[in-house]
Amino acid sequence: MSSSFHLTQLRKWLLSSPPVEWAIQQTRELLLGALRQGPIPQHIAFVMDGNRRFARQHHIETVEGHNMGFEALARILEVCYKSGVKVVTIYAFSIENFQRSQYEVDHLMEIAKIKLAQMAQHGDLMERAILNVCFPYTSRDEITTAVRETVVDYLKPVPPRRRPFSETHIARNIRARHINSIQESREMLRETESSVEADTSDSMSSSTTLNPGSSVSAGQPEDATTTDTSIDGNNDLALGLPDVEAITPAMLEKHMFTHDTPPLELLIRTSGVERLSDFMLWQCHEHTKVCFLECLWPEFDLWHFLPVLWEWQREQRRRVLGSWGTRSHLMAPVKV
C-alpha cells in the first residue's frame, strides 16, 4: 500500500518538473499540428458523464468531482479550439438532475457559474469558436418547441402578391365594365323611349361577351357580388396560408437551438454508458459519429481525445475515397 502511494507521488513529482512539462507541451503542440493536417469536425458534442462516480472512486466529495469535471472541460475546449473545431456543445445539466439533493444542485449551479465565467475571460479562445451549454436541457423539449414554433409560423397568413394580370383582377374589371354598361343602358332608356329594346339587347350582348360564365341579366346587378365570391374561393391559398406540403425537416431545423451552427459530426460520451440520454436526438444524423468511452469525464484529456479524432479522420477519408470510386465507376467508358 505504501509503495504504490510513493510511486504515485513520484510520478506526480516527475510530471510537474519543468523539463518534463516542457517536453509534454511540445509533444502536445506537435500532435495538434499533425491533427490539423487532416479534416477536422466542425461541431463536436460532449456528454460530461462520470463526475459523481469519479468522486466515489477517489473518496472525495461529489461537489469536488463536479469541480474537476469543469477543469477537464477547460482542457478539452483548449484542444478543440487549437485543432480548428468551430462549435462545441456540452451536456452540462439535464432536467432530471433536479431530482438530486438540493445541496448538490446548488453547488453544481454555483460551480458552473464560476467556471463558465472564467472560460468567458479567455477571449482568444471564445473569439475563434462557439460554446453551446445545455443547462438544463432535454432534446424532447427542444423538438417539441421547434414543432410548436413551426406551426405558429405556418398559421401566419402570407401577404398576397399583387399581380396585374391575375384572374381576380381581370374578373373585377369585367364586372366593373358590366355595371357601367347597365348604367349607360338605363340612361339611354330615359332619354329615348323608342330605342329601349335595341339598347337593352346591346347591353346584354356586351355583358355576355365579357363574362361568358355568368347568368347576370340587366335587371339583376346584384349577382355580380356572387360571381366575385365564387372566383375567389374559400381555400388555404385564398386565406393567405402557406401550403402544408411546404413543411420540411429544414423548416423544423430553423427552430432548433443549433440552427445557426454546422451539423453535428462527432458526439462523445464518457463513463462507459452507451445511450444518448435525451441529448441532441435531432442533430444526430447518419454521418454523426457517436463514440462511447470507458473513462470518466474528469479523466478525459488529450490522450483519450486524440484516438477518437484520428478514427474520425480515417472514416472521413474512406468516405471521400468511396465517393470518388463511385463517381469514377459511373464516368468510366462502356465497352461495346
Side-chain angles (χ1 to χ4, degrees):
M1 187 71 177
S2 60
S3 60
S4 63
F5 175 77
H6 290 302
L7 288 176
T8 303
Q9 295 298 322
L10 179 61
R11 183 175 58 184
K12 290 182 178 180
W13 178 79
L14 289 175
L15 294 177
S16 61
S17 61
V20 175
E21 285 185 350
W22 181 84
I24 293 177
Q25 182 65 25
Q26 295 301 314
T27 304
R28 286 166 55 92
E29 296 299 328
L30 181 62
L31 292 175
L32 292 176
L35 186 67
R36 287 193 296 267
Q37 301 307 311
I40 299 296
Q42 297 301 293
H43 189 179
I44 301 180
F46 295 101
V47 181
M48 304 187 303
D49 192 16
N51 294 338
R52 304 173 73 191
R53 200 183 314 172
F54 179 85
R56 288 195 298 267
Q57 292 180 0
H58 292 78
H59 306 287
I60 59 177
E61 291 189 8
T62 304
V63 176
E64 184 61 25
H66 292 305
N67 186 30
M68 298 181 68
F70 276 100
E71 292 179 358
L73 173 62
R75 296 193 302 267
I76 292 302
L77 288 179
E78 184 179 3
V79 173
C80 290
Y81 298 156
K82 287 185 176 181
S83 301
V85 179
K86 298 300 182 182
V87 181
V88 176
T89 302
I90 60 172
Y91 198 11
F93 198 83
S94 171
I95 293 179
E96 284 76 10
N97 292 147
F98 282 109
Q99 300 176 0
R100 298 178 180 179
S101 65
Q102 190 66 34
Y103 172 80
E104 181 180 354
V105 172
D106 292 343
H107 280 75
L108 181 57
M109 295 291 183
E110 187 64 24
I111 293 173
K113 178 181 178 180
I114 296 174
K115 294 298 182 180
L116 293 177
Q118 292 176 353
M119 295 177 189
Q121 294 177 359
H122 293 278
D124 55 338
L125 295 179
M126 294 302 178
E127 289 177 358
R128 289 181 290 173
I130 299 174
L131 174 63
N132 296 323
V133 182
C134 299
F135 195 103
Y137 167 89
T138 61
S139 188
R140 289 171 295 177
D141 178 69
E142 178 187 17
I143 296 174
T144 303
T145 303
V147 172
R148 185 185 302 112
E149 293 178 353
T150 302
V151 172
V152 171
D153 287 348
Y154 172 77
L155 294 178
K156 293 179 181 178
V158 177
R161 295 182 299 175
R162 297 184 61 86
R163 297 182 297 175
F165 301 104
S166 64
E167 294 181 2
T168 304
H169 181 75
I170 296 173
R172 288 175 180 172
N173 288 338
I174 291 175
R175 286 192 293 274
R177 294 178 183 178
H178 173 66
I179 294 173
N180 290 334
S181 65
I182 294 176
Q183 292 177 352
E184 291 176 359
S185 64
R186 287 180 177 177
E187 292 177 357
M188 294 174 67
L189 283 171
R190 295 193 203 95
E191 294 175 357
T192 58
E193 293 291 334
S194 61
S195 60
V196 171
E197 294 181 357
D199 292 339
T200 306
S201 176
D202 293 339
S203 176
M204 288 294 294
S205 62
S206 64
S207 66
T208 305
T209 303
L210 291 173
N211 194 0
S214 175
S215 60
V216 180
S217 61
Q220 294 177 336
E222 294 83 5
D223 290 345
T225 305
T226 306
T227 307
D228 186 18
T229 305
S230 62
I231 291 176
D232 290 343
N234 291 325
N235 49 30
D236 289 345
L237 296 178
L239 294 175
L241 297 177
D243 186 8
V244 66
E245 299 296 333
I247 298 179
T248 60
M251 295 182 63
L252 293 175
E253 183 72 29
K254 293 180 181 179
H255 296 285
M256 295 293 170
F257 299 152
T258 56
H259 66 278
D260 55 349
T261 62
L264 181 63
E265 297 181 278
L266 180 60
L267 187 146
I268 299 175
R269 176 167 186 162
T270 55
S271 79
V273 178
E274 298 184 1
R275 64 174 183 269
L276 296 180
S277 296
D278 205 3
F279 177 61
M280 305 287 281
L281 299 181
W282 178 272
Q283 289 80 1
C284 288
H285 52 85
E286 58 180 344
H287 296 308
T288 302
K289 178 178 177 57
V290 181
C291 185
F292 300 105
L293 302 179
E294 293 294 333
C295 67
L296 303 177
W297 178 251
E299 301 170 340
F300 188 65
D301 56 10
L302 174 65
W303 314 111
H304 294 93
F305 194 22
L306 279 177
V308 177
L309 292 176
W310 286 334
E311 179 62 27
W312 183 87
Q313 289 182 339
R314 282 195 294 268
E315 291 182 0
Q316 294 299 309
R317 294 190 183 97
R318 286 197 296 265
R319 184 178 294 115
V320 172
L321 292 176
S323 63
W324 275 103
T326 304
R327 188 177 305 175
S328 61
H329 175 72
L330 294 176
M331 297 175 62
V334 178
K335 295 182 180 180
V336 180

